Amino acid sequence: DGGITQSPKYLFRKEGQNVTLSCEQNLNHDAMYWYRQDPGQGLRLIYYSQIVNDFQKGDIAEGYSVSREKKESFPLTVTSAQKNPTAFYLCASKGNLHGYTFGSGTRLTVV
Amino acid sequence: AQSVTQLDSHVSVSEGTPVLLRCNYSSSYSPSLFWYVQHPNKGLQLLLKYTSAATLVKGINGFEAEFKKSETSFHLTKPSAHMSDAAEYFCVVSADLDSSYTGIFGSGTRLLVRP
């Protein structure tokens, strides 16, 4: 079945560490997105990529980095520069004909 | 079970005229409802959300939506369209305020604004 796989589901990070969240899709979608969701709020866009080897900053890109070396993969790195990284992170993709497909999310906690 | 229907795939208005984007939902329980906007080559941005606190919800950029339980509707309106409003709009119904991503997304309404 086609879909998006995010891993890990739960991640704990010590302060000052970088961590990378994985996002893989087999839907052949060109566009991929990373969102952050905090309690009681909607989705906020971190980074997005419309095509391989290209990506753009979203509304809250500071402290994050991404890469898009393959169509299927769009990993997100949460760097030590991110002041408040504890959140729920969602990866999504979008094709031309269909709506959004979301991954199951990664809950990151800084300890 | 939940579902959401955006009644118009495209809406075209003149700049300065009112905007109405229609959304009907069905839900077995009291839902949370959201409107998101996506501008060309951008990601989703939350416009507003309904969480049962008030039936008339005000969002960003002058948009508002009214929850009408009797009509199972959550239509998005704006008194006066601006060129920058041209985008695609998604209505979402979810069981959980914190999980709009697991909710049901409508198929989207593309808003065109004519000069």
Side-chain angles (χ1 to χ4, degrees):
Chain A
D1 287 336
I4 295 184
T5 302
Q6 280 188 247
S7 61
K9 190 168 185 173
Y10 298 96
L11 187 58
F12 295 89
R13 190 196 88 174
K14 292 182 180 179
E15 287 199 24
Q17 281 184 336
N18 293 352
V19 290
T20 297
L21 282 56
S22 170
C23 178
E24 303 278 332
Q25 55 106 352
N26 60 3
L27 299 163
N28 201 35
H29 287 171
D30 285 315
M32 296 187 74
Y33 308 83
W34 273 105
Y35 294 96
R36 168 179 171 144
Q37 186 164 38
D38 294 285
Q41 299 191 31
L43 303 174
R44 290 190 291 166
L45 181 65
I46 304 172
Y47 266 98
Y48 62 103
S49 168
Q50 299 287 335
I51 198 167
V52 175
N53 292 323
D54 186 51
F55 49 83
Q56 305 294 329
K57 291 183 179 180
D59 301 318
I60 55 166
E62 187 176 350
Y64 299 98
S65 66
V66 293
S67 64
R68 187 86 186 274
E69 297 175 2
K70 298 186 299 182
K71 189 176 188 177
E72 300 80 17
S73 179
F74 191 42
L76 173 74
T77 297
V78 184
T79 75
S80 57
Q82 168 50 232
K83 291 182 172 55
N84 186 20
T86 295
F88 192 70
Y89 291 89
L90 283 151
C91 180
S93 71
K94 188 175 186 292
N96 291 332
L97 297 178
H98 303 288
Y100 277 87
T101 300
F102 286 93
S104 55
T106 294
R107 187 168 298 281
L108 174 63
T109 303
V110 174
V111 296
Chain B
Q2 293 182 306
S3 68
V4 61
T5 303
Q6 289 183 245
L7 297 159
D8 306 294
S9 60
H10 292 81
V11 170
S12 180
V13 300
S14 297
E15 191 175 19
T17 64
V19 175
L20 170 64
L21 304 183
R22 297 183 294 166
C23 173
N24 285 100
Y25 72 92
S26 68
S27 180
S28 307
Y29 33 76
S30 296
S32 294
L33 293 156
F34 307 77
W35 274 100
Y36 285 93
V37 61
Q38 182 170 16
H39 287 93
N41 298 320
K42 299 281 189 181
L44 294 170
Q45 181 184 21
L46 180 67
L47 276 178
L48 50 81
K49 58 187 177 188
Y50 166 74
T51 61
S52 76
T55 56
L56 183 61
V57 183
K58 293 188 185 301
I60 62 172
N61 301 336
F63 284 94
E64 60 182 40
E66 186 171 7
F67 174 72
K68 291 187 176 180
K69 188 174 181 179
S70 60
E71 298 177 11
T72 60
S73 69
F74 191 57
H75 301 334
L76 182 70
T77 61
K78 182 173 180 177
S80 176
H82 192 273
M83 294 300 290
S84 62
D85 294 328
E88 191 166 18
Y89 293 79
F90 293 91
C91 180
V92 183
V93 60
S94 174
D96 185 348
L97 174 60
D98 286 335
S99 302
S100 61
Y101 70 96
T102 58
I104 308 298
F105 271 67
S107 53
T109 298
R110 191 170 296 279
L111 176 65
L112 307 171
V113 182
R114 303 185 301 272

